[in-house]
Amino acid sequence: MRRDALYFPGLVPTKFSAIEDFLRTSDHARARIEVADDVLGYSLLDAYAEAEVYDWEVYESGFLVLTLALADWALDHVELDPVLCGGQSFGAIIAAVFSGALSYEDGLRLVRASAAVELDYFAAVPEPLGCLFFYRLDSRTVDALVADFPGELEVSIYLDDSVHAVSGTLADLQLFEDRVRESGGYPFYTMNRSEHCSTVRPLRDRLETEVYDRVSWNSPKWPMLSDVSGRLLTDPAEIEEDLLDGWVTPVRWSTVVEGMRAARAEHAHIIGPRNMFARITNNALPTDVITPKKVADHPSATAKRVHR
């Protein structure tokens, strides 16, 4: 059998209407939701349906449930021989749960507790922080723009050579957004918190003592590919530290691709609600996506609808 890499993208806020059908009709989703409702103490579907984009606990819990359910489906319906499991940014937490480094229940508790600490931290900083996402500029241009900017900005994400994110104060990011446009770039999203940058080191340290050290970490079923170093991790303590260090280390998709190559992965399966990540690894190794649409179009779903 071929050597497969299972990979979970970072959180992209997704409207409930776009994924509602999968969450309500999939047996895999219903099983995940039942546990989530019990751990969280409320109906996650009801909360997700009413959530705003910055309701972090609900959006992150919903994304966790959705993505894990897609991965559960893939194990049942796609011929897989995983040699590694990994994730980018928030996706690394999903990978930790799916690989068994964290129990599902502890993963939900970690998401809830982390959201509370993050909200407290960002509410207390002297100036509001954010993260600006944009595309159509190459990495060299982005680095030059940041270096020439008079404020204190850091590049947080090099998703490929055209999609980037920069963190800093919201005031500086508003000015930087103009420079991105003037240089031919296209800003498309500003998040109300910074991430993957040295500025949030105090948050990383708070999360370690207040959240991550209070859940149990285990040896994973498959080695976890670090999006920080590109290394394969199997030691529970290393996995915990790696997830925390993701807060203060820029995401570089090239690091992930190089890690897949080093592990001799032959095929990548990108698991999540959207397929935008497929094009990134396609140049390195064959890639397919596991999305709600793929589930809906699968023969098993057609047979199930006919049976009903």
Side-chain angles (χ1 to χ4, degrees), residues 140-202:
R140 181 177 297 181
T141 300
V142 173
D143 287 338
L145 287 175
V146 170
D148 291 341
F149 190 77
E152 294 185 7
L153 300 179
E154 296 181 64
V155 182
S156 292
I157 296 175
Y158 298 85
L159 193 55
D160 60 6
D161 201 39
S162 66
V163 180
H164 299 83
V166 169
S167 286
T169 67
L170 287 177
D172 279 344
L173 290 177
Q174 286 182 334
L175 297 175
F176 187 73
E177 183 173 335
D178 293 336
R179 299 202 176 189
V180 168
R181 293 185 189 278
E182 291 167 1
S183 301
Y186 184 83
F188 64 90
Y189 176 52
T190 299
M191 187 167 59
N192 68 342
R193 58 181 181 177
S194 294
E195 58 181 2
H196 310 306
C197 60
S198 62
T199 303
V200 296
R201 166 66 63 175

Short mmCIF file of all heavy atoms in Angstrom, two decimals, residues 140-202:
data_model
loop_
_atom_site.label_atom_id
_atom_site.label_comp_id
_atom_site.label_asym_id
_atom_site.label_seq_id
_atom_site.Cartn_x
_atom_site.Cartn_y
_atom_site.Cartn_z
N ARG A 140 9.10 37.25 -0.84
CA ARG A 140 10.16 38.26 -0.81
C ARG A 140 9.56 39.66 -0.69
O ARG A 140 10.06 40.50 0.08
CB ARG A 140 11.01 38.15 -2.07
CG ARG A 140 12.16 39.15 -2.12
CD ARG A 140 13.01 38.95 -3.36
NE ARG A 140 13.64 37.64 -3.37
CZ ARG A 140 14.45 37.22 -4.35
NH1 ARG A 140 14.70 38.00 -5.39
NH2 ARG A 140 15.00 36.02 -4.28
N THR A 141 8.49 39.92 -1.43
CA THR A 141 7.84 41.23 -1.36
C THR A 141 7.25 41.47 0.02
O THR A 141 7.36 42.57 0.59
CB THR A 141 6.73 41.33 -2.43
OG1 THR A 141 7.30 41.15 -3.72
CG2 THR A 141 6.02 42.67 -2.35
N VAL A 142 6.62 40.44 0.59
CA VAL A 142 6.02 40.56 1.92
C VAL A 142 7.09 40.87 2.96
O VAL A 142 6.93 41.78 3.81
CB VAL A 142 5.25 39.28 2.30
CG1 VAL A 142 4.78 39.34 3.75
CG2 VAL A 142 4.06 39.09 1.37
N ASP A 143 8.19 40.14 2.93
CA ASP A 143 9.27 40.39 3.89
C ASP A 143 9.80 41.82 3.76
O ASP A 143 10.09 42.48 4.77
CB ASP A 143 10.41 39.40 3.66
CG ASP A 143 10.08 38.00 4.14
OD1 ASP A 143 9.18 37.85 4.99
OD2 ASP A 143 10.73 37.04 3.66
N ALA A 144 9.92 42.31 2.53
CA ALA A 144 10.41 43.67 2.31
C ALA A 144 9.43 44.70 2.84
O ALA A 144 9.84 45.70 3.46
CB ALA A 144 10.69 43.89 0.83
N LEU A 145 8.15 44.48 2.62
CA LEU A 145 7.13 45.41 3.12
C LEU A 145 7.15 45.49 4.64
O LEU A 145 7.05 46.57 5.23
CB LEU A 145 5.74 45.00 2.64
CG LEU A 145 5.41 45.24 1.17
CD1 LEU A 145 4.03 44.65 0.84
CD2 LEU A 145 5.43 46.73 0.84
N VAL A 146 7.28 44.34 5.29
CA VAL A 146 7.31 44.30 6.75
C VAL A 146 8.58 44.98 7.27
O VAL A 146 8.55 45.75 8.24
CB VAL A 146 7.21 42.85 7.26
CG1 VAL A 146 7.50 42.78 8.76
CG2 VAL A 146 5.82 42.28 6.97
N ALA A 147 9.72 44.71 6.61
CA ALA A 147 10.99 45.31 7.05
C ALA A 147 10.98 46.83 6.91
O ALA A 147 11.57 47.54 7.74
CB ALA A 147 12.14 44.72 6.23
N ASP A 148 10.29 47.34 5.90
CA ASP A 148 10.27 48.78 5.66
C ASP A 148 9.17 49.51 6.44
O ASP A 148 9.15 50.74 6.48
CB ASP A 148 10.06 49.06 4.17
CG ASP A 148 11.28 48.66 3.33
OD1 ASP A 148 12.37 48.51 3.91
OD2 ASP A 148 11.11 48.46 2.11
N PHE A 149 8.27 48.76 7.05
CA PHE A 149 7.15 49.38 7.74
C PHE A 149 7.64 49.99 9.06
O PHE A 149 8.40 49.35 9.80
CB PHE A 149 6.06 48.35 8.01
CG PHE A 149 4.77 48.94 8.51
CD1 PHE A 149 3.90 49.56 7.64
CD2 PHE A 149 4.44 48.89 9.85
CE1 PHE A 149 2.71 50.13 8.08
CE2 PHE A 149 3.27 49.44 10.32
CZ PHE A 149 2.39 50.07 9.42
N PRO A 150 7.22 51.21 9.40
CA PRO A 150 7.72 51.86 10.62
C PRO A 150 7.22 51.24 11.92
O PRO A 150 7.84 51.38 12.97
CB PRO A 150 7.24 53.30 10.48
CG PRO A 150 6.06 53.23 9.55
CD PRO A 150 6.37 52.11 8.60
N GLY A 151 6.09 50.55 11.88
CA GLY A 151 5.57 49.90 13.09
C GLY A 151 6.18 48.53 13.30
O GLY A 151 7.04 48.07 12.53
N GLU A 152 5.75 47.87 14.38
CA GLU A 152 6.28 46.55 14.71
C GLU A 152 5.32 45.47 14.21
O GLU A 152 4.31 45.18 14.85
CB GLU A 152 6.48 46.41 16.23
CG GLU A 152 7.57 47.34 16.77
CD GLU A 152 7.84 47.10 18.25
OE1 GLU A 152 7.28 46.12 18.81
OE2 GLU A 152 8.59 47.88 18.83
N LEU A 153 5.64 44.89 13.09
CA LEU A 153 4.86 43.81 12.49
C LEU A 153 5.71 42.56 12.36
O LEU A 153 6.93 42.64 12.27
CB LEU A 153 4.35 44.22 11.10
CG LEU A 153 3.44 45.46 11.01
CD1 LEU A 153 3.08 45.71 9.55
CD2 LEU A 153 2.19 45.26 11.85
N GLU A 154 5.04 41.40 12.35
CA GLU A 154 5.73 40.13 12.12
C GLU A 154 4.92 39.30 11.13
O GLU A 154 3.69 39.26 11.20
CB GLU A 154 5.86 39.34 13.43
CG GLU A 154 6.73 39.99 14.49
CD GLU A 154 6.84 39.12 15.73
OE1 GLU A 154 7.38 38.00 15.64
OE2 GLU A 154 6.36 39.56 16.80
N VAL A 155 5.63 38.64 10.21
CA VAL A 155 4.94 37.72 9.31
C VAL A 155 4.59 36.46 10.10
O VAL A 155 5.46 35.82 10.69
CB VAL A 155 5.81 37.36 8.09
CG1 VAL A 155 5.02 36.45 7.14
CG2 VAL A 155 6.26 38.62 7.35
N SER A 156 3.30 36.13 10.13
CA SER A 156 2.82 34.98 10.89
C SER A 156 2.67 33.73 10.04
O SER A 156 2.83 32.61 10.54
CB SER A 156 1.47 35.31 11.54
OG SER A 156 1.60 36.28 12.54
N ILE A 157 2.30 33.90 8.77
CA ILE A 157 1.99 32.74 7.93
C ILE A 157 2.55 32.94 6.53
O ILE A 157 2.31 33.97 5.89
CB ILE A 157 0.46 32.51 7.84
CG1 ILE A 157 -0.11 32.15 9.22
CG2 ILE A 157 0.14 31.41 6.83
CD1 ILE A 157 -1.62 32.02 9.26
N TYR A 158 3.33 31.95 6.10
CA TYR A 158 3.73 31.81 4.71
C TYR A 158 3.02 30.56 4.20
O TYR A 158 3.58 29.46 4.22
CB TYR A 158 5.24 31.62 4.58
CG TYR A 158 6.10 32.76 5.09
CD1 TYR A 158 6.45 32.84 6.44
CD2 TYR A 158 6.59 33.73 4.22
CE1 TYR A 158 7.27 33.88 6.90
CE2 TYR A 158 7.40 34.77 4.67
CZ TYR A 158 7.74 34.82 6.01
OH TYR A 158 8.55 35.85 6.48
N LEU A 159 1.77 30.70 3.78
CA LEU A 159 1.01 29.51 3.41
C LEU A 159 1.55 28.90 2.13
O LEU A 159 1.65 27.69 1.99
CB LEU A 159 -0.47 29.85 3.27
CG LEU A 159 -1.42 28.66 3.21
CD1 LEU A 159 -1.24 27.74 4.40
CD2 LEU A 159 -2.86 29.15 3.16
N ASP A 160 1.83 29.73 1.16
CA ASP A 160 2.64 29.34 0.01
C ASP A 160 3.28 30.64 -0.45
O ASP A 160 3.41 31.57 0.35
CB ASP A 160 1.82 28.64 -1.08
CG ASP A 160 0.69 29.49 -1.64
OD1 ASP A 160 0.62 30.68 -1.28
OD2 ASP A 160 -0.10 28.97 -2.43
N ASP A 161 3.71 30.74 -1.69
CA ASP A 161 4.39 31.96 -2.10
C ASP A 161 3.42 33.04 -2.56
O ASP A 161 3.82 34.00 -3.21
CB ASP A 161 5.41 31.68 -3.21
CG ASP A 161 6.47 32.77 -3.29
OD1 ASP A 161 6.89 33.26 -2.22
OD2 ASP A 161 6.85 33.15 -4.41
N SER A 162 2.14 32.91 -2.21
CA SER A 162 1.20 33.98 -2.56
C SER A 162 0.20 34.29 -1.47
O SER A 162 -0.48 35.32 -1.52
CB SER A 162 0.44 33.62 -3.85
OG SER A 162 -0.39 32.51 -3.66
N VAL A 163 0.06 33.45 -0.45
CA VAL A 163 -0.87 33.68 0.66
C VAL A 163 -0.08 33.86 1.94
O VAL A 163 0.73 33.00 2.31
CB VAL A 163 -1.86 32.51 0.81
CG1 VAL A 163 -2.82 32.78 1.97
CG2 VAL A 163 -2.63 32.28 -0.48
N HIS A 164 -0.30 35.00 2.60
CA HIS A 164 0.46 35.32 3.80
C HIS A 164 -0.44 35.94 4.86
O HIS A 164 -1.57 36.34 4.57
CB HIS A 164 1.59 36.31 3.47
CG HIS A 164 2.59 35.79 2.49
ND1 HIS A 164 2.38 35.83 1.13
CD2 HIS A 164 3.79 35.19 2.67
CE1 HIS A 164 3.42 35.30 0.50
NE2 HIS A 164 4.29 34.90 1.41
N ALA A 165 0.08 36.03 6.08
CA ALA A 165 -0.60 36.75 7.15
C ALA A 165 0.46 37.48 7.97
O ALA A 165 1.57 36.98 8.16
CB ALA A 165 -1.40 35.81 8.03
N VAL A 166 0.10 38.67 8.43
CA VAL A 166 1.01 39.50 9.21
C VAL A 166 0.30 39.91 10.50
O VAL A 166 -0.88 40.29 10.47
CB VAL A 166 1.43 40.76 8.41
CG1 VAL A 166 2.14 41.77 9.30
CG2 VAL A 166 2.32 40.36 7.24
N SER A 167 1.01 39.83 11.62
CA SER A 167 0.43 40.19 12.93
C SER A 167 1.02 41.50 13.45
O SER A 167 2.18 41.84 13.17
CB SER A 167 0.69 39.08 13.95
OG SER A 167 -0.14 37.97 13.70
N GLY A 168 0.22 42.22 14.21
CA GLY A 168 0.65 43.46 14.84
C GLY A 168 -0.54 44.14 15.47
O GLY A 168 -1.61 43.53 15.64
N THR A 169 -0.41 45.40 15.83
CA THR A 169 -1.55 46.12 16.37
C THR A 169 -2.55 46.38 15.24
O THR A 169 -2.16 46.50 14.07
CB THR A 169 -1.14 47.46 16.99
OG1 THR A 169 -0.67 48.34 15.96
CG2 THR A 169 -0.05 47.27 18.05
N LEU A 170 -3.83 46.47 15.59
CA LEU A 170 -4.84 46.72 14.57
C LEU A 170 -4.61 48.07 13.89
O LEU A 170 -4.87 48.22 12.68
CB LEU A 170 -6.23 46.68 15.20
CG LEU A 170 -6.74 45.29 15.59
CD1 LEU A 170 -8.11 45.40 16.28
CD2 LEU A 170 -6.84 44.37 14.38
N ALA A 171 -4.10 49.03 14.64
CA ALA A 171 -3.82 50.35 14.05
C ALA A 171 -2.74 50.24 12.97
O ALA A 171 -2.87 50.80 11.87
CB ALA A 171 -3.39 51.33 15.13
N ASP A 172 -1.66 49.50 13.27
CA ASP A 172 -0.59 49.32 12.28
C ASP A 172 -1.07 48.49 11.10
O ASP A 172 -0.70 48.74 9.95
CB ASP A 172 0.62 48.64 12.93
CG ASP A 172 1.50 49.62 13.70
OD1 ASP A 172 1.34 50.84 13.49
OD2 ASP A 172 2.34 49.17 14.50
N LEU A 173 -1.91 47.49 11.38
CA LEU A 173 -2.39 46.63 10.29
C LEU A 173 -3.27 47.39 9.32
O LEU A 173 -3.28 47.11 8.11
CB LEU A 173 -3.14 45.43 10.87
CG LEU A 173 -2.28 44.39 11.59
CD1 LEU A 173 -3.16 43.28 12.18
CD2 LEU A 173 -1.23 43.77 10.66
N GLN A 174 -4.02 48.37 9.82
CA GLN A 174 -4.83 49.20 8.91
C GLN A 174 -3.94 49.95 7.94
O GLN A 174 -4.24 50.05 6.74
CB GLN A 174 -5.68 50.17 9.72
CG GLN A 174 -6.86 49.51 10.42
CD GLN A 174 -7.71 50.52 11.18
OE1 GLN A 174 -7.23 51.58 11.60
NE2 GLN A 174 -8.98 50.19 11.37
N LEU A 175 -2.83 50.48 8.43
CA LEU A 175 -1.88 51.18 7.56
C LEU A 175 -1.17 50.20 6.62
O LEU A 175 -0.97 50.50 5.44
CB LEU A 175 -0.85 51.94 8.40
CG LEU A 175 -1.40 53.04 9.31
CD1 LEU A 175 -0.29 53.62 10.18
CD2 LEU A 175 -2.05 54.15 8.48
N PHE A 176 -0.82 49.05 7.15
CA PHE A 176 -0.11 48.05 6.33
C PHE A 176 -1.02 47.53 5.22
O PHE A 176 -0.55 47.21 4.13
CB PHE A 176 0.37 46.90 7.22
CG PHE A 176 1.25 45.92 6.50
CD1 PHE A 176 2.55 46.24 6.17
CD2 PHE A 176 0.77 44.65 6.17
CE1 PHE A 176 3.37 45.33 5.51
CE2 PHE A 176 1.57 43.74 5.52
CZ PHE A 176 2.88 44.08 5.18
N GLU A 177 -2.32 47.44 5.51
CA GLU A 177 -3.26 46.97 4.49
C GLU A 177 -3.20 47.87 3.25
O GLU A 177 -3.27 47.38 2.11
CB GLU A 177 -4.67 46.94 5.07
CG GLU A 177 -5.71 46.39 4.11
CD GLU A 177 -7.08 46.22 4.76
OE1 GLU A 177 -7.13 46.06 6.00
OE2 GLU A 177 -8.09 46.23 4.03
N ASP A 178 -3.04 49.18 3.46
CA ASP A 178 -2.91 50.09 2.32
C ASP A 178 -1.66 49.78 1.52
O ASP A 178 -1.68 49.82 0.27
CB ASP A 178 -2.86 51.54 2.82
CG ASP A 178 -4.17 52.00 3.43
OD1 ASP A 178 -5.22 51.42 3.09
OD2 ASP A 178 -4.15 52.93 4.27
N ARG A 179 -0.58 49.45 2.19
CA ARG A 179 0.67 49.14 1.49
C ARG A 179 0.54 47.82 0.71
O ARG A 179 1.13 47.68 -0.37
CB ARG A 179 1.83 49.07 2.47
CG ARG A 179 2.07 50.38 3.20
CD ARG A 179 3.45 50.51 3.76
NE ARG A 179 3.65 51.82 4.36
CZ ARG A 179 4.83 52.28 4.77
NH1 ARG A 179 5.91 51.52 4.64
NH2 ARG A 179 4.94 53.49 5.30
N VAL A 180 -0.19 46.89 1.28
CA VAL A 180 -0.43 45.63 0.56
C VAL A 180 -1.17 45.91 -0.74
O VAL A 180 -0.80 45.41 -1.81
CB VAL A 180 -1.23 44.65 1.45
CG1 VAL A 180 -1.73 43.46 0.63
CG2 VAL A 180 -0.36 44.15 2.61
N ARG A 181 -2.20 46.72 -0.66
CA ARG A 181 -2.98 47.04 -1.87
C ARG A 181 -2.13 47.81 -2.88
O ARG A 181 -2.19 47.52 -4.08
CB ARG A 181 -4.21 47.88 -1.49
CG ARG A 181 -5.25 47.14 -0.66
CD ARG A 181 -6.48 48.01 -0.43
NE ARG A 181 -7.39 47.42 0.53
CZ ARG A 181 -8.29 46.48 0.24
NH1 ARG A 181 -8.38 46.03 -1.00
NH2 ARG A 181 -9.09 45.99 1.18
N GLU A 182 -1.35 48.77 -2.40
CA GLU A 182 -0.50 49.55 -3.30
C GLU A 182 0.52 48.67 -4.02
O GLU A 182 0.95 48.99 -5.14
CB GLU A 182 0.24 50.63 -2.50
CG GLU A 182 -0.67 51.73 -1.97
CD GLU A 182 0.01 52.60 -0.93
OE1 GLU A 182 1.20 52.34 -0.64
OE2 GLU A 182 -0.65 53.52 -0.41
N SER A 183 0.91 47.56 -3.39
CA SER A 183 1.90 46.66 -3.99
C SER A 183 1.27 45.58 -4.86
O SER A 183 1.98 44.71 -5.37
CB SER A 183 2.73 46.00 -2.87
OG SER A 183 3.40 46.98 -2.09
N GLY A 184 -0.06 45.62 -4.99
CA GLY A 184 -0.75 44.65 -5.83
C GLY A 184 -1.34 43.48 -5.09
O GLY A 184 -1.86 42.55 -5.72
N GLY A 185 -1.29 43.53 -3.76
CA GLY A 185 -1.86 42.44 -2.97
C GLY A 185 -3.34 42.64 -2.73
O GLY A 185 -3.90 43.72 -2.97
N TYR A 186 -3.97 41.59 -2.20
CA TYR A 186 -5.42 41.63 -1.96
C TYR A 186 -5.70 41.17 -0.53
O TYR A 186 -5.71 39.97 -0.24
CB TYR A 186 -6.16 40.74 -2.95
CG TYR A 186 -7.68 40.81 -2.81
CD1 TYR A 186 -8.41 41.83 -3.41
CD2 TYR A 186 -8.37 39.87 -2.04
CE1 TYR A 186 -9.78 41.91 -3.27
CE2 TYR A 186 -9.74 39.94 -1.89
CZ TYR A 186 -10.45 40.96 -2.50
OH TYR A 186 -11.80 41.04 -2.36
N PRO A 187 -5.93 42.10 0.41
CA PRO A 187 -6.30 41.71 1.78
C PRO A 187 -7.71 41.13 1.79
O PRO A 187 -8.61 41.67 1.13
CB PRO A 187 -6.25 43.04 2.55
CG PRO A 187 -5.50 43.99 1.67
CD PRO A 187 -5.78 43.55 0.27
N PHE A 188 -7.92 40.04 2.54
CA PHE A 188 -9.25 39.45 2.55
C PHE A 188 -9.79 39.15 3.94
O PHE A 188 -10.96 38.82 4.08
CB PHE A 188 -9.29 38.17 1.70
CG PHE A 188 -8.43 37.04 2.19
CD1 PHE A 188 -8.91 36.09 3.07
CD2 PHE A 188 -7.13 36.92 1.73
CE1 PHE A 188 -8.11 35.04 3.51
CE2 PHE A 188 -6.32 35.86 2.15
CZ PHE A 188 -6.81 34.92 3.05
N TYR A 189 -8.98 39.30 5.00
CA TYR A 189 -9.50 38.97 6.32
C TYR A 189 -8.57 39.52 7.39
O TYR A 189 -7.35 39.35 7.29
CB TYR A 189 -9.63 37.45 6.47
CG TYR A 189 -10.07 36.93 7.82
CD1 TYR A 189 -11.21 37.41 8.45
CD2 TYR A 189 -9.35 35.93 8.48
CE1 TYR A 189 -11.62 36.93 9.67
CE2 TYR A 189 -9.76 35.42 9.70
CZ TYR A 189 -10.90 35.93 10.30
OH TYR A 189 -11.31 35.44 11.51
N THR A 190 -9.12 40.21 8.38
CA THR A 190 -8.35 40.63 9.54
C THR A 190 -8.96 40.01 10.79
O THR A 190 -10.14 40.24 11.09
CB THR A 190 -8.34 42.17 9.69
OG1 THR A 190 -7.72 42.74 8.53
CG2 THR A 190 -7.53 42.57 10.92
N MET A 191 -8.17 39.22 11.48
CA MET A 191 -8.61 38.54 12.69
C MET A 191 -8.34 39.42 13.90
O MET A 191 -7.39 40.21 13.90
CB MET A 191 -7.88 37.20 12.80
CG MET A 191 -8.36 36.29 13.91
SD MET A 191 -7.68 34.61 13.70
CE MET A 191 -5.93 34.93 13.74
N ASN A 192 -9.14 39.28 14.94
CA ASN A 192 -9.03 40.16 16.10
C ASN A 192 -8.04 39.64 17.14
O ASN A 192 -8.22 39.86 18.34
CB ASN A 192 -10.40 40.37 16.75
CG ASN A 192 -10.95 39.10 17.40
OD1 ASN A 192 -10.49 37.99 17.10
ND2 ASN A 192 -11.94 39.27 18.27
N ARG A 193 -7.00 38.99 16.71
CA ARG A 193 -5.94 38.53 17.60
C ARG A 193 -4.71 38.23 16.75
O ARG A 193 -4.81 37.91 15.57
CB ARG A 193 -6.36 37.28 18.39
CG ARG A 193 -6.76 36.09 17.52
CD ARG A 193 -7.19 34.91 18.38
NE ARG A 193 -7.55 33.77 17.56
CZ ARG A 193 -7.92 32.59 18.04
NH1 ARG A 193 -7.98 32.42 19.35
NH2 ARG A 193 -8.24 31.59 17.26
N SER A 194 -3.55 38.33 17.36
CA SER A 194 -2.31 37.96 16.69
C SER A 194 -1.98 36.51 17.00
O SER A 194 -2.41 35.96 18.03
CB SER A 194 -1.16 38.85 17.16
OG SER A 194 -1.35 40.18 16.75
N GLU A 195 -1.22 35.87 16.12
CA GLU A 195 -0.82 34.48 16.35
C GLU A 195 0.45 34.20 15.55
O GLU A 195 0.82 34.94 14.64
CB GLU A 195 -1.93 33.52 15.94
CG GLU A 195 -2.36 33.63 14.49
CD GLU A 195 -3.49 32.69 14.14
OE1 GLU A 195 -3.97 31.96 15.02
OE2 GLU A 195 -3.89 32.67 12.95
N HIS A 196 1.13 33.12 15.94
CA HIS A 196 2.35 32.68 15.25
C HIS A 196 3.38 33.80 15.19
O HIS A 196 4.00 34.05 14.15
CB HIS A 196 2.02 32.17 13.85
CG HIS A 196 0.91 31.18 13.79
ND1 HIS A 196 0.90 30.03 14.55
CD2 HIS A 196 -0.27 31.18 13.10
CE1 HIS A 196 -0.21 29.35 14.32
NE2 HIS A 196 -0.93 30.03 13.44
N CYS A 197 3.58 34.48 16.33
CA CYS A 197 4.55 35.58 16.37
C CYS A 197 5.06 35.74 17.80
O CYS A 197 4.40 35.34 18.76
CB CYS A 197 3.91 36.88 15.88
SG CYS A 197 2.50 37.44 16.85
N SER A 198 6.25 36.34 17.93
CA SER A 198 6.88 36.45 19.24
C SER A 198 6.11 37.35 20.19
O SER A 198 6.24 37.24 21.42
CB SER A 198 8.31 36.98 19.07
OG SER A 198 8.30 38.28 18.50
N THR A 199 5.30 38.24 19.66
CA THR A 199 4.54 39.18 20.49
C THR A 199 3.67 38.47 21.52
O THR A 199 3.47 38.97 22.63
CB THR A 199 3.65 40.06 19.60
OG1 THR A 199 4.47 40.75 18.66
CG2 THR A 199 2.87 41.07 20.43
N VAL A 200 3.16 37.29 21.16
CA VAL A 200 2.21 36.61 22.05
C VAL A 200 2.90 35.56 22.92
O VAL A 200 2.24 34.63 23.41
CB VAL A 200 1.05 35.97 21.25
CG1 VAL A 200 0.23 37.05 20.57
CG2 VAL A 200 1.56 34.96 20.23
N ARG A 201 4.21 35.71 23.15
CA ARG A 201 4.92 34.78 24.05
C ARG A 201 4.24 34.70 25.42
O ARG A 201 4.09 33.59 25.97
CB ARG A 201 6.37 35.23 24.18
CG ARG A 201 7.15 34.59 25.32
CD ARG A 201 7.37 33.10 25.16
NE ARG A 201 8.18 32.78 24.00
CZ ARG A 201 8.60 31.53 23.71
NH1 ARG A 201 8.27 30.52 24.52
NH2 ARG A 201 9.29 31.30 22.63
N PRO A 202 3.79 35.82 26.03
CA PRO A 202 3.11 35.69 27.34
C PRO A 202 1.85 34.83 27.26
O PRO A 202 1.55 34.10 28.21
CB PRO A 202 2.77 37.14 27.70
CG PRO A 202 3.78 37.96 26.95
CD PRO A 202 3.98 37.23 25.67
#
